[in-house]
Amino acid sequence: MRAARLIKMVLLLQSRPSMTAAELAHELEVSERTVTRDAQALSEAGVPVYADRGRTGGYRLIGGYRTRLTGLARSEAEALFLSGVPGALREMGLDDAASAARLKVSAALLPSLRDASRTASQRFHLDAPGWFHEPLTPELLPSVAEAVWDDLVLRVSYGRRDAVVERELEPYGLVLKAGVWYLAARVRDGASGFRVYRIDRFLSVAVPVDARRFARDAGFELPVFWAERADAFARAILRAEVVVRLTAAGVRQLPYVAGRVSAQEALSTAVTEADGRVTVTLPVESEDVAYTQLMGLGPEAEVVAPGALRERFAGAARRMSGWYG
């Protein structure tokens, strides 16, 4: 533990002109007294750490000293490629590996380039969760992520609507979609192919005692698999249809209220009426969902069919007319 902290201290000092004891204590998550002891230990070991006294003093390396400890470990290299999503790294338990990797890269850079990480983070930030929803990190996510990184067979139990199911999975990859974590995995029985699991529905996860590794399918590509599965899911839930007449504004707004897949299918068979409006057959999840979605279009949409849904909108229009006179 202390050896890793001493290495991190050297890398911090190598990447900056100087640092105060308070700054080092904050970065290393120790007390300033521990920083003083660590600096003395480094000096005794031959690392030229110099302490500047006074209110503006601090610690620095002298004599152009550069450590050779900047080679990346595999976990650090993998985490570095995910450094654009710091929240996801933290939730998967990879924050320390990513921090060490960034320090090593920074320490290896020329002095004129060492502020690159700071300037980049000031200009670009990725916020994955959707608006108005507080993302919840699944408690079991770090364990699942560890199995994914090491290609370890995972024994899980997860809750369905009516039962608890146990499976042995080959965990291939993690996906963060709108603040929700999913696992792409293959069931060990070999007959079910790849599936998608919501990690917040896992009740328990465990690596078997013998810690078996599985052989990954070389042809599996997570981005391609997820795109295909997400598109299939979006189409599978569209089990009903409504006929809607739209204004030009309604056509533009339709993808935002009904979803991209549903809107694309509807507009592909659109018929333009004499008054300039467009009639479409819109695939929807249900009439209740269609009611909620199409209310968002207000006067830019007229429901033509089915009759029960049209009457529902007519009733809503009469109530609104009464309110507004």
Side-chain angles (χ1 to χ4, degrees), residues 153 155 168 206-212:
V153 173
R155 184 175 295 127
E168 277 202 355
V207 175
V209 177
D210 54 357
R212 290 170 290 161

Side-chain angles (χ1 to χ4, degrees), residues 174-288:
L174 292 166
V175 175
L176 177 61
K177 172 71 171 178
V180 179
W181 283 96
Y182 297 88
L183 173 68
R186 183 162 58 186
V187 182
R188 284 288 284 178
D189 61 21
S192 304
F194 289 98
R195 294 182 178 181
V196 174
Y197 299 86
R198 277 186 61 145
I199 294 178
D200 58 7
R201 292 180 182 167
F202 285 168
L203 303 176
S204 67
V205 300
V207 175
V209 177
D210 54 357
R212 290 170 290 161
R213 282 185 164 79
F214 63 90
R216 293 181 68 92
D217 182 344
F220 179 83
E221 294 187 25
L222 183 59
V224 174
F225 168 79
W226 178 257
E228 293 174 350
R229 189 56 60 92
D231 189 65
F233 172 77
R235 296 179 187 280
I237 64 174
L238 303 176
R239 301 184 180 95
E241 291 182 342
V242 298
V243 179
V244 187
R245 193 170 288 127
L246 302 167
T247 65
V251 170
R252 291 193 299 271
Q253 296 169 22
L254 187 63
Y256 300 101
V257 300
R260 176 186 58 83
V261 172
S262 183
Q264 283 182 344
E265 287 197 19
L267 296 174
S268 67
T269 58
V271 176
T272 302
E273 307 292 347
D275 63 358
R277 290 187 296 170
V278 173
T279 299
V280 301
T281 299
L282 180 69
V284 294
E285 186 174 347
S286 67
E287 288 188 19
D288 285 341

Side-chain angles (χ1 to χ4, degrees), residues 62-308:
I62 60 175
Y65 179 85
R66 298 185 65 80
T67 177
R68 297 181 181 273
L69 300 173
T70 53
L72 294 178
R74 181 176 182 84
S75 63
E76 295 168 349
E78 290 170 338
L80 188 61
F81 284 101
L82 295 172
S83 59
V85 280
L89 279 168
R90 184 170 55 253
E91 292 176 8
M92 287 189 291
L94 296 173
D95 202 28
D96 286 344
S99 176
R102 287 191 294 268
L103 272 174
K104 289 182 177 182
V105 170
S106 180
L109 292 173
L110 293 173
S112 60
L113 300 176
R114 286 178 187 163
D115 66 342
S117 62
R118 182 178 60 83
T119 56
S121 64
Q122 288 176 338
R123 289 162 173 79
F124 300 99
H125 176 68
L126 175 62
D127 186 8
W131 288 102
F132 314 121
H133 296 282
E134 186 66 29
L136 297 177
T137 303
E139 182 180 347
L140 299 174
L141 176 61
S143 299
V144 176
E146 185 176 354
V148 169
W149 286 117
D150 293 337
D151 295 338
L152 293 173
V153 173
L154 201 59
R155 184 175 295 127
V156 308
S157 64
Y158 66 96
R160 286 180 172 173
R161 292 181 179 178
D162 55 352
V164 173
V165 181
E166 294 189 357
R167 292 281 188 272
E168 277 202 355
L169 304 177
E170 296 176 353
Y172 268 66
L174 292 166
V175 175
L176 177 61
K177 172 71 171 178
V180 179
W181 283 96
Y182 297 88
L183 173 68
R186 183 162 58 186
V187 182
R188 284 288 284 178
D189 61 21
S192 304
F194 289 98
R195 294 182 178 181
V196 174
Y197 299 86
R198 277 186 61 145
I199 294 178
D200 58 7
R201 292 180 182 167
F202 285 168
L203 303 176
S204 67
V205 300
V207 175
V209 177
D210 54 357
R212 290 170 290 161
R213 282 185 164 79
F214 63 90
R216 293 181 68 92
D217 182 344
F220 179 83
E221 294 187 25
L222 183 59
V224 174
F225 168 79
W226 178 257
E228 293 174 350
R229 189 56 60 92
D231 189 65
F233 172 77
R235 296 179 187 280
I237 64 174
L238 303 176
R239 301 184 180 95
E241 291 182 342
V242 298
V243 179
V244 187
R245 193 170 288 127
L246 302 167
T247 65
V251 170
R252 291 193 299 271
Q253 296 169 22
L254 187 63
Y256 300 101
V257 300
R260 176 186 58 83
V261 172
S262 183
Q264 283 182 344
E265 287 197 19
L267 296 174
S268 67
T269 58
V271 176
T272 302
E273 307 292 347
D275 63 358
R277 290 187 296 170
V278 173
T279 299
V280 301
T281 299
L282 180 69
V284 294
E285 186 174 347
S286 67
E287 288 188 19
D288 285 341
V289 172
Y291 178 79
T292 301
Q293 292 175 332
L294 294 175
M295 280 293 286
L297 293 178
E300 309 305 330
E302 175 195 356
V303 174
V304 179

